[in-house]
Amino acid sequence: MAQAIASRPRPLEDELRQDVVRFCQLLHQKGFLAANDGNVSVRLGGGRILVTPTGTAKAFLAPDELVVVDEKGQKIGGLGEPTGELPMHLEVLHRRPDVEAVVHAHPPMCIALSLVRSPRLNDVLPEVMLSLGQIDVVPYARPQTEALARSLAGRIERCDALILERHGTIAVGVSVAEAYFRTERIEHAAQVLWLAHALGRPLPLAEPEARALREAHARGRHIRTA
Ligand SMILES: [Zn+2]
């Protein structure tokens, strides 16, 4: 089980608000969400969580539009209402005390791959295996429900990024930036895998190499790509 890292300094609230807005804009620019889709949360400390508001286009989000809630989801501050996916964010933050931020997006290739029966997602791309580890597809649950939040149990503890069947992705990180970049990585992997599936059946790595990569990821010896 992941452990909270108590000694990590947390940025000031103003910086976190700027981070959320900046990466929401990037999610939109990259085509990882459309219109009002997607949502982001980050811990503020003292049990407070900063979340994106419901019904807001992420391309035009402003720092003062973000909403503050407590760990049970009760609103503490902000003019609007929190994202409809708040139960999913709270579930993830509860299950991952080692992370600070959660990014939920709708990247098209990840969604497309989740619609295909048994796509080969794992044991194919070595750097994805090292940086993200196992890519799990979470079976369908209706968006914005407690059922969707509960569906992450047992998966988000072992995966830093997940594909939600017919829906999108959820990624965690020690910062909004890390959660965003994990979203970018999983969508890039999905693009490569989609191309491979279009050409034929992607071939897995030889098992000894795949096992070595899985073990390297488990030990946290991630390769940082340039
Ligand atoms: Zn969604």
Side-chain angles (χ1 to χ4, degrees):
M1 182 65 188
Q3 300 293 314
I5 301 172
S7 60
R8 184 186 303 127
R10 180 179 281 118
L12 298 173
E13 180 171 335
D14 281 353
E15 294 174 51
L16 293 170
R17 286 177 180 268
Q18 295 287 348
D19 272 359
V20 171
V21 167
R22 182 166 61 227
F23 286 102
C24 278
Q25 290 169 345
L26 202 50
L27 286 166
H28 182 264
Q29 287 168 16
K30 291 279 189 175
F32 296 167
L33 48 78
N36 297 350
D37 294 349
N39 25 79
V40 174
S41 63
V42 62
R43 298 185 201 272
L44 289 176
R48 297 177 308 135
I49 301 161
L50 188 65
V51 298
T52 48
T54 189
T56 307
K58 302 305 174 294
F60 305 111
L61 194 62
D64 61 2
E65 290 181 289
L66 301 175
V67 179
V68 180
V69 299
D70 66 17
E71 289 170 317
K72 296 190 185 310
Q74 294 299 311
K75 190 170 120 177
I76 298 172
L79 292 175
E81 293 302 315
T83 167
E85 293 292 14
L86 184 60
M88 180 166 68
H89 286 260
L90 295 177
E91 184 79 17
V92 171
L93 290 169
H94 173 68
R95 291 181 175 278
R96 292 293 303 268
D98 59 318
V99 305
E100 294 287 320
V102 180
V103 168
H104 165 56
H106 294 178
M109 286 300 174
C110 285
I111 298 173
L113 274 183
S114 80
L115 301 177
V116 176
R117 189 175 298 279
S118 303
R120 176 171 287 284
L121 303 177
N122 292 295
D123 297 348
V124 180
L125 302 170
E127 289 185 286
V128 173
M129 294 177 70
L130 287 166
S131 60
L132 287 180
Q134 175 88 5
I135 299 176
D136 277 5
V137 179
V138 181
Y140 174 75
R142 190 180 303 162
Q144 302 189 23
T145 62
E146 294 284 347
L148 175 58
R150 288 195 302 272
S151 74
L152 304 179
R155 294 186 171 89
I156 197 63
E157 292 90 338
R158 65 169 186 262
C159 297
D160 292 326
L162 291 165
I163 296 175
L164 310 177
E165 184 183 328
R166 301 179 183 276
H167 183 173
T169 56
I170 188 149
V172 298
V174 296
S175 62
V176 178
E178 186 172 60
Y180 166 81
F181 284 121
R182 283 178 169 151
T183 304
E184 194 172 274
R185 276 187 187 280
I186 199 168
E187 175 66 354
H188 186 264
Q191 288 178 17
V192 174
L193 293 164
W194 177 82
L195 288 169
H197 278 279
L199 295 168
R201 182 73 180 161
L203 298 174
L205 283 160
E207 178 52 26
E209 176 66 2
R211 190 185 321 118
L213 292 166
R214 287 194 295 267
E215 290 171 357
H217 175 75
R219 289 193 300 271
R221 291 162 53 186
H222 305 179
I223 288 179
R224 294 196 179 277
T225 53

